[in-house]
Amino acid sequence: MAKWGEGDPRWIVEERPDATNVNNWHWSEKNASGWSKTKIKSLFEGLELEEPNLGTVTIKEVTKCEGDATASNRKGKLIFFYEWVVTMDWTGCLLADPKREVKGTLEIPNLSEENDPEEVDVNVSVTAGGSGGDAMKEFIRKKGIVTLQGKIKEYIDTLKQEYATDLIKPTKGQAVTKQSKTIVSAPRQTMVSSINSAVSDVEKLGLGVKIKTSQLTLNQTFKCTADELYRALTQREMVAAFTRGDVKLEVEKGGKFEFFGGNISGEFEELVPNKRIVQKWRFKSWPCGHYSKVTLEIDQKEDCTQIKLTQTSVPASEVEKTKEGWNNYYWESIKRTFGFGAILL
C-alpha cells in the first residue's frame, strides 16, 4: 500500500493557489469560437491590398464565418483545435478607370490546424468589373494572397499566445504566468492505409507529441427490418431504452446527441431513413475537440438486416475500447432490449 502523499500524482491533492485541476492533469478547455469570429472579422474587414500599377482591393465584409475553435490544457500543455470556412466580399478601384464597378468574393475553405498559414487556400471570384475585375482577381491570387495569409497567421498566433494564457494553473510554489507551452497540430501528414486500417500521425509543434488515429470497421446482423433498426438508432425512446438512461437526441442534420451520461456525444451529418447515418462522434475522454467520423450503412436482406459501421480518426490507443463499446453497449444491448438477436458476422 502506498504511503500517504505517495503514488500516482493524478490522485494527489496538492496545495494550489486556485484549488482546481490539481497538477494540471485533467482536461480543461475554453471555447474560442465566439472570440475567433470577432477576431477574424476585425483582421479582414477594411483590409486594403494595393498594386501600384493596377489599383486597390478592399475587403468590405466578412459575410460568413462558420466553424469552431477550442483551446485545451492536458498535463500542462496547450492544444488548439480550430476549423473555419470564411467568405468575404471585396471591391476594387482601378487606377485606369476609377468609376468602373469592380467587386467579387473571397473564400477561405480550409482554415484549420491541419494547415500552416501559407498552405491555406484562398478562392477568388469576380462578380462585376469585366477585364478590370479579372486583372484584380489575378493580383489577389498571386500577390494579395501573401497579405491574406499573413492575417491568418496573426489570428493563429493571437489564439495561441493571448487567448489561452489562463488555462495552465500554477502548482504549489509557482507564480501565475501569462504564457505557457503550447502544442498545435502541424500540417496534415501522409496517410498510410491498408485493407484493415488507415493510420495518420499528426505532429504537434514544439514537443513532438503525436496523435495516432486508426479506422475501425464492424459488421452486424439483426433479426429485424431496416425500419426497425433505423428507429432503434434514431428514436429517442428506443435509444434511451437500450442505453439504459436519459439521452439528448436531435435527429436532423447538424443535430446534437449525448448518450451514457455525456460520455458519448456528437452531431448528425447525414440521415437517410432506413439506409444511412453519418455522425461526428467522440468519447468524453478523448482530446478536447477531437471527433471521429461514424458511417452506418443499413442493408435489409430477405430475412434480416445488416449494418456496416466505418469509423475513422479513432485515437489508436482507444480502438479496442471503442470496438468493445459498440459491441457491448450498442449492438448487444439493442438485441437484448428489442429482441433483434442474431449471429455476429
Side-chain angles (χ1 to χ4, degrees):
M1 180 180 295
K3 295 180 180 179
W4 180 262
E6 295 180 354
D8 190 332
R10 287 171 289 183
W11 302 101
I12 298 174
V13 179
E14 180 185 354
E15 288 184 31
R16 282 279 313 282
D18 59 5
T20 60
N21 200 5
V22 176
N23 299 321
N24 290 295
W25 180 268
H26 301 292
W27 276 100
S28 59
E29 66 177 79
K30 293 174 68 177
N31 187 326
S33 298
W35 175 90
S36 293
K37 290 180 180 180
T38 301
K39 186 64 177 178
I40 289 170
K41 287 186 177 183
S42 69
L43 287 171
F44 286 102
E45 289 185 344
L47 178 66
E48 293 186 348
L49 310 174
E50 295 186 6
E51 171 56 62
N53 297 321
L54 180 63
T56 303
V57 171
T58 303
I59 309 298
K60 302 298 291 185
E61 182 183 5
V62 174
T63 56
K64 182 175 81 171
C65 187
E66 295 182 351
D68 49 53
T70 58
S72 307
N73 162 35
R74 175 59 161 165
K75 300 182 183 179
K77 303 167 187 175
L78 293 179
I79 302 175
F80 297 90
F81 295 92
Y82 49 91
E83 185 172 10
W84 296 101
V85 176
V86 183
T87 302
M88 298 170 273
D89 288 340
W90 62 270
T91 60
C93 180
L94 293 167
L95 292 176
D97 190 359
K99 294 184 179 180
R100 177 183 295 187
E101 182 182 40
V102 180
K103 60 182 180 179
T105 61
L106 299 174
E107 183 191 38
I108 303 174
N110 60 337
L111 202 176
S112 77
E113 77 278 354
E114 294 184 343
N115 300 297
D116 284 341
E118 62 270 18
E119 297 175 318
V120 174
D121 297 324
V122 179
N123 300 326
V124 188
S125 63
V126 178
T127 56
S131 60
D134 292 336
M136 285 201 156
K137 173 182 175 179
E138 288 304 302
F139 157 63
I140 297 172
R141 287 181 61 251
K142 295 179 179 179
K143 296 183 179 180
I145 190 172
V146 176
T147 301
L148 297 174
Q149 290 172 339
K151 292 297 180 180
I152 292 170
K153 183 178 186 301
E154 184 176 343
Y155 159 69
I156 297 170
D157 289 346
T158 305
L159 175 66
K160 290 172 8 183
Q161 297 171 6
E162 297 181 16
Y163 188 72
T165 53
D166 61 341
L167 276 174
I168 302 296
K169 305 301 183 182
T171 57
K172 183 179 179 180
Q174 288 182 325
V176 178
T177 61
K178 288 194 174 183
Q179 290 194 351
S180 306
K181 291 182 291 185
T182 62
I183 300 176
V184 296
S185 297
R188 182 178 300 173
Q189 306 298 308
T190 302
M191 298 300 293
V192 181
S193 59
S194 64
I195 295 176
N196 295 320
S197 67
V199 180
S200 65
D201 289 304
V202 182
E203 298 244 329
K204 301 297 182 180
L205 295 179
L207 297 181
V209 177
K210 293 181 179 180
I211 294 178
K212 181 177 289 186
T213 63
S214 292
Q215 177 173 306
L216 177 64
T217 301
L218 297 172
N219 294 280
Q220 281 279 339
T221 298
F222 295 85
K223 293 179 180 177
C224 64
T225 65
D227 176 68
E228 289 172 327
L229 182 56
Y230 183 84
R231 286 191 292 111
L233 294 167
T234 58
Q235 192 173 90
R236 189 178 186 279
E237 294 79 3
M238 296 183 74
V239 175
F242 82 77
T243 60
R244 306 292 194 271
D246 194 18
V247 299
K248 175 181 178 181
L249 192 64
E250 302 168 354
V251 187
E252 59 184 3
K253 185 175 181 180
K256 310 292 185 181
F257 63 84
E258 289 184 3
F259 306 152
F260 305 105
N263 284 311
I264 291 176
S265 62
E267 177 179 325
F268 289 102
E269 293 189 333
E270 182 181 357
L271 290 157
V272 181
N274 308 334
K275 292 289 185 182
R276 180 181 173 90
I277 300 172
V278 181
Q279 304 168 331
K280 288 173 61 178
W281 190 101
R282 62 176 268 110
F283 268 121
K284 187 176 182 179
S285 60
W286 287 1
C288 175
H290 181 82
Y291 284 83
S292 65
K293 182 174 182 177
V294 171
T295 301
L296 300 169
E297 299 285 354
I298 301 171
D299 184 15
Q300 182 169 320
K301 304 297 185 181
E302 289 185 1
D303 59 349
C304 66
T305 296
Q306 295 179 347
I307 190 168
K308 178 181 179 181
L309 176 146
T310 304
Q311 187 171 9
T312 59
S313 298
V314 180
S317 61
E318 297 285 303
V319 170
E320 286 304 314
K321 174 184 174 182
T322 305
K323 180 179 179 180
E324 292 175 3
W326 282 108
N327 286 329
N328 296 334
Y329 299 107
Y330 275 75
W331 311 144
E332 294 303 318
S333 185
I334 287 173
K335 292 173 183 179
R336 288 194 302 269
T337 303
F338 308 117
F340 296 167
I343 298 175
L344 178 67
L345 287 180

